Amino acid sequence: MNEVQYLTTPNPYERLKELGIALPKPPNPIANFVTHVQEGNLLFLSGQGPQEADGSLHTGKVGVDVDADKAYEHAKLTGINLLAVMQDALGDLSRVKRVVKLLGMVNAAPDFGEHPKVINGCSDLMMAVFGEAGRHARSAVGFGSLPNNITVEIEAIVAIEE
């Protein structure tokens, strides 16, 4: 597992560059919903999954087909997709005042118990990109299945600068 890297650069785009991350085009919704809704100074992001830029998905049951370390990477990729939606919604990631809350869902075997370790992939990314403003409240829970058999799904609530 990766440790959170605290970067000295205050700009989220410079932090992404230092991390070697290029934001993809935000994934399209898979059903009848939108990727985000802004209400006042809060941005609510619909659940995203571990989708690569080419559209391929990481699938499987965590604890059976996929181990916690690999699922951590899938949660990090899901975080990158959340950042892509934020960028699309806000036009500038510098408008993120704080990542308020993440809800992390793991497609887990019944006896799997490392849900927090998996969702740390996204949490660590948010802190690496936004520094203290990336520290958030969070839930990390297991599900019997997720859409398209993806390994993780994560949604977010973000406070933004007007």
Side-chain angles (χ1 to χ4, degrees):
M1 299 279 170
N2 298 333
E3 292 297 316
V4 177
Q5 287 185 313
Y6 294 100
L7 304 174
T8 58
T9 313
N11 181 304
Y13 296 103
E14 291 174 16
R15 290 177 184 209
L16 286 166
K17 185 177 179 182
E18 288 178 17
L19 293 167
I21 296 171
L23 293 181
K25 180 179 169 201
N28 292 320
I30 61 169
N32 187 16
F33 62 91
V34 294
T35 59
H36 65 279
V37 171
Q38 182 178 340
E39 183 61 35
N41 70 336
L42 292 177
L43 183 66
F44 296 83
L45 302 176
S46 296
Q48 293 293 325
Q51 181 174 323
E52 296 286 351
D54 68 5
S56 63
L57 297 170
H58 293 281
T59 61
K61 186 72 70 179
V62 180
V64 176
D65 309 309
V66 178
D67 67 20
D69 290 338
K70 185 54 107 175
Y72 172 98
E73 295 300 324
H74 296 171
K76 180 179 178 181
L77 174 60
T78 300
I80 292 168
N81 289 328
L82 286 167
L83 292 171
V85 172
M86 285 181 221
Q87 166 62 36
D88 187 56
L90 301 173
D92 184 354
L93 290 177
S94 297
R95 290 186 58 205
V96 172
K97 183 177 179 181
R98 177 167 199 142
V99 178
V100 176
K101 170 92 191 237
L102 296 181
L103 168 59
M105 299 159 271
V106 181
N107 182 4
D111 62 345
F112 183 77
E114 297 182 279
H115 310 88
K117 181 179 178 181
V118 169
I119 301 304
N120 278 348
C122 184
S123 293
D124 291 349
L125 175 69
M126 294 301 158
M127 292 190 63
V129 171
F130 296 112
E132 250 335 278
R135 191 177 299 277
H136 51 271
R138 186 183 86 181
S139 299
V141 294
F143 282 74
S145 67
L146 290 174
N148 296 318
N149 197 35
I150 57 176
T151 52
V152 297
E153 181 175 347
I154 304 171
E155 61 182 46
I157 301 171
V158 178
I160 58 173
E161 302 285 349
E162 289 297 325

